[in-house]
Coordinates of all heavy atoms in Angstrom, one line a residue:
M1 N -3.3 -145.5 -96.6 CA -4.0 -145.9 -95.4 C -5.2 -146.7 -95.9 O -6.0 -146.3 -96.8 CB -4.5 -144.6 -94.7 CG -5.4 -144.9 -93.5 SD -6.2 -143.4 -92.8 CE -4.8 -142.7 -92.0
P2 N -5.5 -147.9 -95.2 CA -6.6 -148.7 -95.6 C -7.9 -148.1 -95.3 O -8.0 -147.3 -94.3 CB -6.4 -150.0 -94.8 CG -5.5 -149.6 -93.7 CD -4.7 -148.5 -94.2
R3 N -8.9 -148.4 -96.0 CA -10.3 -147.8 -95.8 C -10.9 -148.5 -94.6 O -10.6 -149.6 -94.3 CB -11.1 -148.0 -97.0 CG -10.7 -147.2 -98.2 CD -11.6 -147.4 -99.3 NE -12.9 -146.9 -99.0 CZ -13.9 -147.0 -99.8 NH1 -13.8 -147.6 -100.9 NH2 -15.1 -146.5 -99.4
M4 N -11.7 -147.7 -93.9 CA -12.4 -148.2 -92.7 C -13.7 -148.9 -93.1 O -14.4 -148.4 -93.9 CB -12.7 -147.0 -91.8 CG -12.9 -147.3 -90.4 SD -13.2 -145.9 -89.3 CE -11.6 -145.1 -89.4
S5 N -13.9 -150.0 -92.5 CA -15.2 -150.8 -92.8 C -16.4 -150.0 -92.3 O -16.2 -149.1 -91.4 CB -15.1 -152.2 -92.2 OG -15.2 -152.1 -90.8
R6 N -17.5 -150.3 -92.8 CA -18.7 -149.6 -92.4 C -19.0 -149.8 -90.9 O -19.4 -148.9 -90.2 CB -19.9 -150.1 -93.2 CG -21.2 -149.2 -93.0 CD -22.3 -149.7 -93.9 NE -23.3 -150.2 -92.9 CZ -23.9 -151.4 -93.1 NH1 -23.7 -152.2 -94.1 NH2 -24.8 -151.8 -92.2
K7 N -18.8 -151.0 -90.4 CA -19.1 -151.4 -89.0 C -18.1 -150.6 -88.1 O -18.5 -150.0 -87.1 CB -18.9 -152.9 -88.8 CG -19.2 -153.3 -87.4 CD -19.0 -154.8 -87.2 CE -19.3 -155.2 -85.8 NZ -19.1 -156.6 -85.6
R8 N -16.9 -150.5 -88.5 CA -15.9 -149.8 -87.7 C -16.1 -148.3 -87.7 O -16.0 -147.6 -86.7 CB -14.5 -150.1 -88.2 CG -13.4 -149.5 -87.3 CD -12.1 -150.1 -87.6 NE -11.1 -149.4 -86.6 CZ -10.0 -148.8 -87.0 NH1 -9.7 -148.8 -88.3 NH2 -9.2 -148.3 -86.1
R9 N -16.6 -147.8 -88.9 CA -16.9 -146.4 -89.0 C -18.1 -146.0 -88.1 O -18.1 -144.9 -87.5 CB -17.2 -146.0 -90.4 CG -17.3 -144.5 -90.7 CD -17.6 -144.1 -92.1 NE -16.6 -144.6 -93.0 CZ -16.8 -145.4 -94.1 NH1 -18.0 -145.7 -94.4 NH2 -15.8 -145.7 -94.8
E10 N -19.1 -146.9 -88.0 CA -20.2 -146.6 -87.2 C -19.8 -146.6 -85.7 O -20.3 -145.9 -84.9 CB -21.3 -147.6 -87.4 CG -22.0 -147.4 -88.8 CD -23.0 -148.5 -89.1 OE1 -23.1 -149.5 -88.3 OE2 -23.6 -148.4 -90.1
E11 N -18.9 -147.5 -85.3 CA -18.4 -147.6 -83.9 C -17.6 -146.3 -83.5 O -17.8 -145.8 -82.4 CB -17.5 -148.8 -83.7 CG -18.2 -150.1 -83.8 CD -17.2 -151.3 -83.7 OE1 -16.0 -151.1 -83.6 OE2 -17.7 -152.4 -83.8
W12 N -16.8 -145.8 -84.4 CA -15.9 -144.7 -84.2 C -16.5 -143.3 -84.6 O -15.8 -142.3 -84.7 CB -14.6 -144.9 -84.8 CG -13.8 -145.9 -84.1 CD1 -13.7 -147.2 -84.4 CD2 -12.9 -145.7 -83.0 NE1 -12.8 -147.8 -83.5 CE2 -12.4 -146.9 -82.6 CE3 -12.6 -144.5 -82.2 CZ2 -11.5 -147.0 -81.5 CZ3 -11.8 -144.7 -81.1 CH2 -11.2 -145.9 -80.8
D13 N -17.8 -143.3 -85.0 CA -18.4 -142.1 -85.6 C -18.2 -140.8 -84.7 O -18.0 -139.8 -85.3 CB -19.9 -142.4 -85.8 CG -20.5 -141.3 -86.7 OD1 -19.8 -140.8 -87.6 OD2 -21.7 -140.9 -86.4
F14 N -18.3 -140.9 -83.4 CA -18.2 -139.8 -82.6 C -16.7 -139.2 -82.6 O -16.5 -138.1 -82.3 CB -18.6 -140.2 -81.1 CG -18.8 -139.0 -80.2 CD1 -19.8 -138.0 -80.5 CD2 -18.1 -138.8 -79.1 CE1 -20.0 -136.9 -79.7 CE2 -18.3 -137.8 -78.2 CZ -19.2 -136.8 -78.5
F15 N -15.7 -140.1 -82.9 CA -14.3 -139.7 -82.9 C -13.8 -139.2 -84.3 O -12.7 -138.7 -84.4 CB -13.5 -140.8 -82.4 CG -13.6 -141.1 -81.0 CD1 -14.6 -141.9 -80.5 CD2 -12.7 -140.6 -80.1 CE1 -14.7 -142.2 -79.2 CE2 -12.8 -140.8 -78.7 CZ -13.8 -141.6 -78.3
L16 N -14.6 -139.4 -85.3 CA -14.1 -139.1 -86.7 C -14.3 -137.7 -87.1 O -15.3 -137.1 -86.8 CB -14.8 -140.0 -87.7 CG -14.6 -141.5 -87.6 CD1 -15.5 -142.2 -88.7 CD2 -13.2 -141.8 -87.8
N17 N -13.2 -137.1 -87.6 CA -13.4 -135.7 -88.1 C -13.9 -135.8 -89.6 O -14.2 -136.8 -90.1 CB -12.0 -134.9 -88.0 CG -10.9 -135.5 -88.8 OD1 -11.1 -136.5 -89.6 ND2 -9.7 -135.1 -88.6
R18 N -13.9 -134.6 -90.2 CA -14.5 -134.6 -91.6 C -13.6 -135.3 -92.6 O -14.0 -135.6 -93.7 CB -14.8 -133.2 -92.0 CG -13.7 -132.3 -92.1 CD -14.2 -130.9 -92.5 NE -14.0 -130.0 -91.4 CZ -13.3 -128.9 -91.6 NH1 -12.8 -128.5 -92.7 NH2 -13.0 -128.1 -90.5
R19 N -12.3 -135.6 -92.3 CA -11.5 -136.3 -93.2 C -11.5 -137.8 -92.8 O -10.6 -138.6 -93.3 CB -10.0 -135.8 -93.1 CG -9.9 -134.4 -93.5 CD -8.5 -133.8 -93.4 NE -7.6 -134.6 -94.2 CZ -6.3 -134.5 -94.1 NH1 -5.7 -133.8 -93.1 NH2 -5.5 -135.2 -94.9
N20 N -12.4 -138.2 -92.0 CA -12.6 -139.6 -91.5 C -11.3 -140.2 -90.8 O -10.9 -141.3 -91.0 CB -13.0 -140.5 -92.7 CG -14.4 -140.3 -93.1 OD1 -15.2 -139.9 -92.3 ND2 -14.7 -140.6 -94.3
R21 N -10.7 -139.3 -90.0 CA -9.6 -139.7 -89.2 C -10.0 -139.7 -87.7 O -10.7 -138.8 -87.3 CB -8.4 -138.8 -89.4 CG -7.8 -139.0 -90.7 CD -6.5 -138.3 -90.8 NE -5.8 -138.7 -92.1 CZ -4.6 -138.6 -92.3 NH1 -3.8 -138.0 -91.3 NH2 -4.0 -138.9 -93.4
I22 N -9.6 -140.6 -86.9 CA -9.9 -140.7 -85.5 C -9.2 -139.5 -84.8 O -7.9 -139.4 -84.9 CB -9.5 -142.0 -84.9 CG1 -10.4 -143.1 -85.5 CG2 -9.7 -142.0 -83.4 CD1 -10.0 -144.5 -85.1
T23 N -9.9 -138.7 -84.1 CA -9.3 -137.5 -83.5 C -9.8 -137.4 -82.0 O -11.0 -137.6 -81.7 CB -9.8 -136.2 -84.2 OG1 -9.6 -136.3 -85.6 CG2 -9.1 -135.0 -83.7
Y24 N -8.8 -137.2 -81.1 CA -9.1 -137.1 -79.7 C -9.1 -135.7 -79.3 O -8.6 -134.8 -79.9 CB -8.0 -137.9 -78.9 CG -8.0 -139.3 -79.3 CD1 -6.9 -139.9 -80.0 CD2 -9.0 -140.2 -78.9 CE1 -6.9 -141.2 -80.3 CE2 -9.0 -141.5 -79.2 CZ -7.9 -142.0 -79.9 OH -7.9 -143.4 -80.3
N25 N -9.5 -135.4 -78.0 CA -9.6 -134.1 -77.4 C -8.1 -133.6 -77.2 O -7.2 -134.4 -77.1 CB -10.3 -134.2 -76.1 CG -10.8 -132.8 -75.6 OD1 -10.0 -131.9 -75.7 ND2 -12.0 -132.8 -75.2
D26 N -7.9 -132.3 -77.2 CA -6.5 -131.8 -77.0 C -5.9 -132.2 -75.7 O -4.7 -132.5 -75.7 CB -6.6 -130.2 -77.1 CG -6.9 -129.7 -78.5 OD1 -6.6 -130.5 -79.4 OD2 -7.4 -128.6 -78.6
L27 N -6.6 -132.3 -74.6 CA -6.1 -132.7 -73.4 C -5.7 -134.2 -73.4 O -4.7 -134.6 -72.8 CB -7.0 -132.5 -72.2 CG -7.3 -131.0 -71.8 CD1 -8.3 -131.0 -70.7 CD2 -6.0 -130.4 -71.4
C28 N -6.5 -135.0 -74.1 CA -6.3 -136.4 -74.2 C -5.2 -136.8 -75.2 O -4.7 -137.9 -75.1 CB -7.6 -137.1 -74.5 SG -8.9 -136.9 -73.3
R29 N -4.9 -136.0 -76.1 CA -4.0 -136.3 -77.2 C -2.6 -136.7 -76.7 O -2.0 -137.7 -77.2 CB -3.9 -135.1 -78.2 CG -3.2 -135.5 -79.5 CD -3.2 -134.4 -80.5 NE -4.6 -134.2 -80.9 CZ -5.1 -133.0 -81.2 NH1 -4.3 -131.9 -81.2 NH2 -6.3 -132.9 -81.6
N30 N -2.1 -136.0 -75.7 CA -0.8 -136.3 -75.2 C -0.8 -137.1 -73.9 O 0.3 -137.4 -73.4 CB 0.0 -135.0 -75.0 CG 0.2 -134.2 -76.2 OD1 0.4 -134.8 -77.3 ND2 0.2 -132.9 -76.2
C31 N -1.9 -137.5 -73.5 CA -2.1 -138.3 -72.3 C -1.6 -139.7 -72.5 O -1.8 -140.3 -73.5 CB -3.5 -138.3 -71.8 SG -3.8 -139.1 -70.2
R32 N -1.0 -140.3 -71.5 CA -0.4 -141.7 -71.6 C -1.5 -142.7 -71.3 O -1.3 -143.9 -71.7 CB 0.8 -141.9 -70.7 CG 0.4 -141.8 -69.3 CD 1.6 -142.0 -68.4 NE 1.2 -141.8 -67.1 CZ 2.0 -141.8 -66.0 NH1 3.3 -142.0 -66.3 NH2 1.6 -141.6 -64.8
H33 N -2.6 -142.4 -70.7 CA -3.6 -143.3 -70.4 C -4.5 -143.6 -71.6 O -4.6 -142.8 -72.5 CB -4.5 -142.8 -69.2 CG -3.7 -142.5 -68.0 ND1 -3.1 -143.4 -67.2 CD2 -3.3 -141.3 -67.5 CE1 -2.4 -142.8 -66.2 NE2 -2.5 -141.5 -66.4
D34 N -5.2 -144.7 -71.5 CA -6.0 -145.1 -72.7 C -7.5 -144.7 -72.6 O -8.4 -145.3 -73.3 CB -5.9 -146.6 -72.9 CG -6.3 -147.4 -71.8 OD1 -6.6 -146.9 -70.7 OD2 -6.4 -148.7 -71.9
C35 N -7.8 -143.8 -71.7 CA -9.2 -143.3 -71.5 C -9.5 -142.1 -72.4 O -10.0 -141.1 -71.9 CB -9.5 -143.0 -70.0 SG -8.4 -141.8 -69.3
K36 N -9.1 -142.1 -73.6 CA -9.2 -141.0 -74.5 C -10.7 -140.6 -74.8 O -11.6 -141.4 -74.8 CB -8.6 -141.3 -75.9 CG -7.2 -141.9 -75.8 CD -6.2 -140.8 -75.5 CE -4.8 -141.3 -75.7 NZ -3.9 -140.7 -74.8
Q37 N -10.9 -139.3 -74.9 CA -12.2 -138.8 -75.2 C -12.2 -138.1 -76.6 O -11.2 -137.7 -77.1 CB -12.6 -137.8 -74.1 CG -12.8 -138.4 -72.8 CD -13.3 -137.4 -71.8 OE1 -13.9 -136.4 -72.1 NE2 -13.1 -137.7 -70.5
S38 N -13.4 -138.0 -77.2 CA -13.5 -137.4 -78.5 C -13.3 -135.9 -78.5 O -13.4 -135.2 -77.5 CB -15.0 -137.7 -79.0 OG -15.2 -137.0 -80.2
F39 N -12.9 -135.4 -79.7 CA -12.7 -134.0 -79.8 C -14.0 -133.2 -79.7 O -14.1 -132.0 -79.5 CB -12.0 -133.7 -81.1 CG -12.8 -133.9 -82.4 CD1 -13.4 -132.8 -83.0 CD2 -13.0 -135.1 -82.9 CE1 -14.2 -133.0 -84.1 CE2 -13.8 -135.3 -84.0 CZ -14.4 -134.2 -84.6
R40 N -15.1 -133.9 -79.9 CA -16.4 -133.3 -79.8 C -16.9 -133.1 -78.4 O -17.8 -132.3 -78.1 CB -17.5 -134.1 -80.6 CG -17.2 -134.3 -82.0 CD -18.2 -135.3 -82.6 NE -17.7 -135.8 -83.9 CZ -18.1 -135.3 -85.1 NH1 -19.0 -134.4 -85.1 NH2 -17.6 -135.8 -86.2
A41 N -16.4 -133.9 -77.5 CA -16.8 -133.8 -76.1 C -16.1 -132.6 -75.3 O -15.0 -132.3 -75.6 CB -16.4 -135.1 -75.4
Q42 N -16.9 -132.1 -74.4 CA -16.3 -131.1 -73.5 C -15.9 -131.8 -72.2 O -16.7 -132.4 -71.5 CB -17.4 -130.1 -73.1 CG -17.1 -128.7 -73.7 CD -18.1 -127.7 -73.2 OE1 -19.1 -128.1 -72.5 NE2 -18.0 -126.5 -73.6
I43 N -14.6 -131.7 -71.9 CA -14.2 -132.4 -70.7 C -14.5 -131.6 -69.4 O -14.1 -130.5 -69.3 CB -12.6 -132.6 -70.7 CG1 -12.3 -133.6 -71.9 CG2 -12.1 -133.2 -69.4 CD1 -10.9 -133.9 -72.1
V44 N -15.3 -132.2 -68.6 CA -15.7 -131.5 -67.3 C -14.7 -131.9 -66.2 O -14.2 -131.1 -65.5 CB -17.2 -131.9 -66.9 CG1 -17.5 -131.3 -65.6 CG2 -18.1 -131.4 -68.0
A45 N -14.5 -133.2 -66.2 CA -13.5 -133.7 -65.2 C -12.9 -135.0 -65.7 O -13.5 -135.8 -66.3 CB -14.2 -134.0 -63.9
C46 N -11.6 -135.1 -65.5 CA -10.9 -136.3 -65.9 C -10.1 -136.7 -64.7 O -9.3 -136.0 -64.1 CB -10.0 -136.1 -67.1 SG -9.0 -137.5 -67.6
R47 N -10.3 -137.9 -64.2 CA -9.6 -138.4 -62.9 C -8.1 -138.5 -63.1 O -7.4 -138.4 -62.2 CB -10.2 -139.7 -62.5 CG -11.6 -139.6 -62.0 CD -12.1 -140.9 -61.5 NE -12.5 -141.7 -62.7 CZ -12.6 -143.0 -62.7 NH1 -12.3 -143.7 -61.6 NH2 -12.9 -143.6 -63.8
K48 N -7.7 -138.7 -64.3 CA -6.2 -139.0 -64.5 C -5.5 -137.7 -64.9 O -4.3 -137.8 -65.0 CB -6.1 -140.1 -65.6 CG -6.8 -141.3 -65.1 CD -6.3 -142.5 -65.8 CE -7.1 -143.7 -65.3 NZ -6.6 -144.9 -65.6
Y49 N -6.2 -136.6 -65.2 CA -5.5 -135.4 -65.7 C -5.4 -134.4 -64.5 O -6.4 -134.2 -63.8 CB -6.3 -134.8 -66.8 CG -5.7 -133.4 -67.3 CD1 -4.6 -133.4 -68.0 CD2 -6.4 -132.3 -66.9 CE1 -4.1 -132.1 -68.4 CE2 -5.9 -131.0 -67.3 CZ -4.7 -131.0 -68.0 OH -4.2 -129.8 -68.4
R50 N -4.2 -133.9 -64.3 CA -4.0 -132.9 -63.3 C -3.3 -131.7 -63.9 O -2.2 -131.8 -64.5 CB -3.2 -133.4 -62.1 CG -3.9 -134.5 -61.4 CD -3.0 -135.0 -60.4 NE -3.3 -134.5 -59.1 CZ -2.7 -134.8 -58.0 NH1 -1.6 -135.5 -58.0 NH2 -3.1 -134.3 -56.8
S51 N -4.0 -130.5 -63.9 CA -3.4 -129.3 -64.4 C -2.4 -128.7 -63.4 O -2.6 -128.8 -62.2 CB -4.5 -128.3 -64.7 OG -3.9 -127.1 -65.1
K52 N -1.3 -128.2 -63.9 CA -0.3 -127.6 -63.1 C -0.8 -126.2 -62.5 O -0.3 -125.7 -61.6 CB 1.0 -127.4 -63.9 CG 1.7 -128.7 -64.2 CD 3.0 -128.5 -64.9 CE 3.6 -129.8 -65.2 NZ 4.8 -129.7 -66.0
R53 N -1.8 -125.7 -63.2 CA -2.4 -124.4 -62.7 C -3.5 -124.6 -61.7 O -4.1 -123.6 -61.2 CB -2.9 -123.6 -63.9 CG -1.8 -123.1 -64.8 CD -2.3 -122.2 -65.9 NE -2.7 -123.1 -67.0 CZ -3.3 -122.7 -68.1 NH1 -3.8 -121.4 -68.1 NH2 -3.6 -123.5 -69.1
S54 N -3.9 -125.8 -61.4 CA -5.0 -126.1 -60.5 C -4.6 -125.8 -59.1 O -3.4 -125.9 -58.7 CB -5.3 -127.6 -60.6 OG -6.2 -128.0 -59.6
E55 N -5.6 -125.4 -58.3 CA -5.4 -125.1 -56.9 C -5.0 -126.4 -56.1 O -4.3 -126.3 -55.1 CB -6.6 -124.5 -56.3 CG -6.9 -123.1 -56.9 CD -5.9 -122.1 -56.5 OE1 -5.3 -122.1 -55.4 OE2 -5.6 -121.2 -57.4
T56 N -5.6 -127.5 -56.5 CA -5.3 -128.8 -55.8 C -3.9 -129.3 -56.1 O -3.5 -130.2 -55.4 CB -6.4 -129.8 -56.1 OG1 -6.4 -130.0 -57.5 CG2 -7.7 -129.3 -55.7
W57 N -3.3 -128.8 -57.1 CA -2.0 -129.3 -57.6 C -0.9 -128.9 -56.6 O 0.0 -129.6 -56.3 CB -1.7 -128.8 -59.0 CG -0.4 -129.2 -59.5 CD1 0.8 -128.5 -59.5 CD2 0.0 -130.5 -60.0 NE1 1.8 -129.2 -60.1 CE2 1.4 -130.4 -60.4 CE3 -0.7 -131.7 -60.3 CZ2 2.1 -131.5 -61.0 CZ3 0.0 -132.7 -60.8 CH2 1.4 -132.6 -61.2
R58 N -1.0 -127.7 -56.0 CA 0.0 -127.1 -55.2 C 0.1 -127.7 -53.8 O -0.2 -128.5 -53.2 CB -0.2 -125.6 -55.0 CG -0.1 -125.0 -56.3 CD -0.4 -123.5 -56.2 NE -0.6 -123.0 -57.6 CZ -1.0 -121.9 -57.9 NH1 -1.3 -121.0 -56.9 NH2 -1.1 -121.5 -59.1

């Protein structure tokens, strides 16, 4: 794997884990949309994600 440049590392700093790999949130990992969020963020609401256990889903 090629090394990440300093500029790119600074841009992606919120998404990098301790092994310097870009990591997304568990809900966003399998999502097909490109609005991915960092693993450090707490997802409060995502307009494109609908849980099957949600009351509004039924």
